Amino acid sequence: MSMYVITHKEYENKIKTEGYKILQVGAFKGHIQADCYDDTGENISTKNPNYCELTGLYWIWKNTNDSYVGISHYRRYFTHTFNADRALNTEEIETLLSKYDVILPFHAKYKKTIAEDYAALSGKKEDLLKVGKIIKELYPDYYNDYQSYMNSYTGTLYNMMITTKENYDNYCKWLFSILFELEKNIDLTQYNDYQKRIYGFLAERLLNVWVIHNKLNSCEISVIPTEEKRSFVVKVLTGLKRVILYKLL
């Protein structure tokens, strides 16, 4: 099993749990201190400005062969404790994956539909129409699930997951075939710097579609935002929620 911590810069590692590997994305621009680099082996490192952490996901797909794979970020980790420097460990992950197909962050709730929220903050409405057309052509059996999800009000974020390598590889094959096709139909000169991270933003939505369509039994876990400053009360309430929900799993 490998748990990968995706980063694009040097950072203070506040997580003390063993077994986590630092994977630098966008490494084609120069290496920092890390365990793995997304510009080695078969890679798409140069796409990082638009694909964000997905260049790391691609590298793991093409260059590793663990039984289980986990994705977290330098500022976000899965946890279920009060302790802000303790991420899920290998034993806890194996226990959860003996019951569930995939571990995901808790779903976020939106005031707008997923499609409306994306168009308002992350990209353009046309992006979603183009993705829908590609899915209908390449994976027609996914199309209704895609439409249904885009009209819903909850979804998991961050492109974070823990699952078997088989599931992971199947997801990546599906995801990147859609995104690579979309690239042929997107003119990024019409996007601002934030919107140019389009493929990472779309993947956050598409992971939900893939999980729903494949009827995966998912376990939702809290995520530690290590760079977020929170009050003592909020930290206690958040920690209590993690512990209670984890015990209910």
Side-chain angles (χ1 to χ4, degrees):
M1 175 186 296
S2 287
M3 287 295 299
Y4 291 94
V5 182
I6 294 180
T7 186
H8 63 281
K9 65 178 184 178
E10 297 276 5
Y11 71 100
E12 180 186 357
N13 186 6
K14 300 177 182 179
I15 301 299
K16 308 306 179 185
T17 309
E18 295 182 358
Y20 283 69
K21 299 177 181 178
I22 299 173
L23 169 56
Q24 183 196 350
V25 296
F28 74 98
K29 294 180 289 186
H31 288 194
I32 61 174
Q33 184 62 43
D35 299 304
C36 316
Y37 302 91
D38 76 344
D39 65 338
T40 60
E42 187 173 347
N43 72 85
I44 56 169
S45 182
T46 57
K47 294 182 184 289
N48 180 257
N50 310 120
Y51 274 71
C52 311
E53 62 271 5
L54 297 186
T55 60
L57 270 69
Y58 185 93
W59 183 88
I60 295 168
W61 172 34
K62 294 295 186 178
N63 298 285
T64 68
N65 194 32
D66 295 286
S67 298
Y68 297 92
V69 172
I71 306 294
S72 60
H73 301 289
Y74 71 96
R75 59 195 177 103
R76 297 189 186 99
Y77 295 79
F78 288 107
T79 189
H80 64 82
T81 73
F82 285 99
N83 194 340
D85 62 1
R86 233 273 280 137
L88 281 181
N89 62 37
T90 300
E91 182 179 351
E92 292 164 337
I93 291 169
E94 289 177 344
T95 299
L96 289 173
L97 290 181
S98 69
K99 304 175 184 178
Y100 299 92
D101 299 314
V102 60
I103 299 171
L104 298 170
F106 278 114
H107 274 56
K109 295 182 180 179
Y110 298 86
K111 293 182 179 179
K112 302 177 180 180
T113 67
I114 299 297
E116 290 169 339
D117 180 81
Y118 173 86
L121 299 174
S122 303
K124 302 177 185 293
K125 182 179 180 180
E126 306 90 81
D127 303 338
L128 303 180
L129 296 176
K130 290 175 181 177
V131 170
K133 182 178 179 181
I134 291 169
I135 289 176
K136 196 169 187 178
E137 292 174 353
L138 298 182
Y139 304 101
D141 54 327
Y142 278 80
Y143 184 71
N144 287 341
D145 290 316
Y146 173 76
Q147 293 291 86
S148 177
Y149 173 71
M150 287 301 167
N151 287 305
S152 70
Y153 291 83
T154 65
T156 188
L157 296 171
Y158 313 134
N159 288 315
M160 290 174 60
M161 74 183 92
I162 310 174
T163 190
T164 65
K165 187 61 161 58
E166 180 180 5
N167 280 339
Y168 182 85
D169 288 354
N170 288 336
Y171 168 64
C172 286
K173 181 179 180 180
W174 177 81
L175 174 69
F176 286 104
S177 66
I178 294 169
L179 298 184
F180 289 164
E181 187 64 28
L182 179 64
E183 268 194 282
K184 302 173 185 177
N185 300 285
I186 295 290
D187 178 8
L188 290 179
T189 62
Q190 304 302 311
Y191 291 68
N192 62 37
D193 288 344
Y194 185 72
Q195 293 171 335
K196 286 179 181 178
R197 296 157 59 185
I198 174 175
Y199 304 107
F201 292 144
L202 287 171
E204 287 184 287
R205 281 77 180 175
L206 290 175
L207 175 57
N208 292 266
V209 176
W210 185 77
V211 169
I212 291 168
H213 179 80
N214 289 285
K215 297 180 173 57
L216 298 187
N217 185 15
S218 62
C219 169
E220 296 183 9
I221 293 290
S222 292
V223 171
I224 313 170
T226 60
E227 293 188 341
E228 180 181 315
K229 294 183 179 180
R230 294 173 295 168
S231 69
F232 176 76
V233 173
V234 171
K235 288 179 181 179
V236 170
L237 291 175
T238 301
L240 186 60
K241 174 185 175 183
R242 290 177 188 142
V243 172
I244 292 174
L245 290 172
Y246 184 77
K247 289 184 181 296
L248 292 175
L249 297 176

